[in-house]
Amino acid sequence: MSSASQPVTDFRHTSVLLDGAVDALVHAPDGVYLDGTFGRGGHSRLILSRLSDEGRLLAMDRDPQAIEASAAIDDPRFSITRREFARLGEYARELGLHGKLAGVLLDIGVSSPQLDDPERGFSFMRNGPLDMRMDPTQGESAAQFLARASEADIAQVFKTYGEERYAKRLARAVVTRRAEKPFTHTLDLAEVLKTAHPAWEKGKHPATKAFQALRIYLNGELEQLDAALDAALEALAPGGHLVVISFHSLEDRRVKRFIRHHVRGDTHLPKGVPIRDDQLERRLEAINKGERPSQSEVAENPRARSAVMRAARKRDA
């Protein structure tokens, strides 16, 4: 795979909500924390700076380039594994730390190096192979999906994962064009979507939602997030903190719903039946109501503009 040969240092990454996320996460310097989305290590490095000599940081990422970049961290308190964050419970169990983590951080979505490297195929602004896999060694590429999927399936992906209003129209354009020539590169697909889209939003490329949809679908991002949230709650120690940074409404709605459910407890009990507090199984306390980047952070890093960070504390047993 050509992306594997690309030096990871060629593409700059600025961690979003860096200080706010780590402030919310690290509450016990001697604790064991888990960064479920290492990326290029911005959050991990700041977490390590907040830990004592007894503290420890575990990290995860399924992107082989992220694992390669992690070699730059030379710290005995740090360890990393290559796997998707949905398997964080498995990782904690292997280390004998399940139910003992002081905090879990999840920074959801695609990283700047993934977007900026045309060989990864995430961007509609840079030409490269139409791939979009966070782990290029696993699963189906965008080119493979678009070559075999039905028009209805493509439209469903555009609508469900991109909230694209003109999903059917764009899917029809894709299927019509692929009959003449298969899609192999990003700008080719972007041009077809751009031409077919009837209503361009100001300041937004007309292929934005469709590209987002393909990426989320191919990488199983929403399913991964749901599994990771459940796993994190179980892997945390009582009093442990969960911090999640999301970048679009599909993700944030899931995070908000998850935290709200565990703050309120089980409300699906029969109406009219007296319920004690201890029967509700309220497992979380909200730390914030959703923090967004400052104007200065957005000015420095425009990709941060849609980010929202939510944090919660696991109740004591």
Side-chain angles (χ1 to χ4, degrees):
M1 180 71 59
S2 55
S3 60
S5 63
Q6 177 66 55
V8 296
T9 53
D10 281 2
F11 304 101
R12 182 173 178 268
H13 178 66
T14 302
S15 297
V16 175
L17 289 162
L18 179 60
D19 291 309
V22 177
D23 287 346
L25 180 75
V26 179
H27 59 98
D30 294 343
V32 181
Y33 294 84
L34 186 145
D35 181 351
T37 45
F38 178 81
R40 291 301 181 268
H43 289 112
S44 282
R45 287 181 176 84
L46 187 57
I47 293 167
L48 285 167
S49 76
R50 305 281 183 88
L51 301 184
S52 70
D53 290 343
E54 287 71 39
R56 190 172 169 193
L57 176 63
L58 315 177
M60 307 175 65
D61 209 296
R62 56 174 161 173
D63 188 334
Q65 289 189 353
I67 301 301
E68 184 183 344
S70 73
I73 296 183
D74 182 14
D75 192 316
R77 302 171 300 167
F78 175 78
S79 58
I80 191 167
T81 183
R82 179 179 167 186
R83 65 186 96 183
E84 58 269 20
F85 59 62
R87 297 167 60 195
L88 68 89
E90 169 190 281
Y91 186 30
R93 283 191 180 91
E94 289 174 5
L95 299 173
L97 293 167
H98 196 257
K100 300 178 181 179
L101 297 180
V104 173
L105 170 65
L106 302 174
D107 183 2
I108 312 302
V110 67
S111 69
S112 292
Q114 289 169 329
L115 283 171
D116 293 339
D117 183 353
E119 293 297 306
R120 300 303 299 272
F122 287 104
S123 176
F124 45 76
M125 301 298 289
R126 296 173 175 83
N127 201 30
L130 191 56
D131 196 314
M132 297 195 190
R133 290 172 293 176
M134 292 190 177
D135 181 350
T137 69
Q138 301 289 327
E140 186 177 40
S141 71
Q144 290 168 330
F145 170 73
L146 293 177
R148 61 92 182 158
S150 68
E151 181 179 322
D153 285 345
I154 295 171
Q156 186 64 28
V157 167
F158 288 170
K159 180 180 180 181
T160 303
Y161 297 102
E163 299 179 307
E164 173 55 71
R165 179 181 178 186
Y166 299 100
K168 290 183 178 179
R169 181 168 181 157
L170 298 187
R172 190 175 308 119
V174 167
V175 171
T176 299
R177 213 316 291 280
R178 81 177 180 195
E180 305 167 10
K181 178 186 175 184
F183 290 97
T184 60
H185 283 73
T186 52
L187 290 190
D188 184 20
L189 175 61
E191 188 61 31
V192 169
L193 294 170
K194 178 180 175 182
T195 302
H197 206 294
W200 298 9
E201 294 181 49
K202 185 178 180 180
K204 181 177 286 188
H205 193 289
T208 299
K209 292 181 178 180
F211 266 66
Q212 171 192 293
L214 285 169
R215 189 202 86 221
I216 292 173
Y217 168 74
L218 292 167
N219 292 289
E221 291 180 36
L222 299 184
E223 295 80 6
Q224 288 275 327
L225 175 58
D226 289 341
L229 292 171
D230 287 335
L233 182 56
E234 301 305 324
L236 284 169
H241 289 194
L242 172 65
V243 177
V244 186
I245 302 170
S246 54
F247 287 84
H248 58 74
S249 59
L250 288 174
E251 298 166 342
D252 184 51
R253 281 199 296 266
R254 275 172 153 76
V255 177
K256 184 178 180 180
R257 186 167 59 240
F258 177 85
I259 292 175
R260 183 175 59 203
H261 171 73
H262 288 289
V263 166
R264 293 178 178 176
D266 184 2
T267 56
H268 300 294
L269 296 170
K271 289 184 178 180
V273 176
I275 301 169
R276 300 192 312 270
D277 253 15
D278 61 350
Q279 291 177 303
L280 288 172
E281 294 189 16
R282 291 173 173 149
R283 304 188 68 190
L284 290 174
E285 297 172 348
I287 293 175
N288 69 9
K289 294 184 178 181
E291 178 181 328
R292 294 189 177 274
S294 64
Q295 290 183 344
S296 60
E297 181 173 0
V298 173
E300 181 182 343
N301 179 19
R303 287 174 179 161
R305 64 185 177 276
S306 61
V308 57
M309 184 267 287
R310 298 187 185 275
R313 174 186 177 274
K314 185 173 179 178
R315 288 176 176 265
D316 296 332

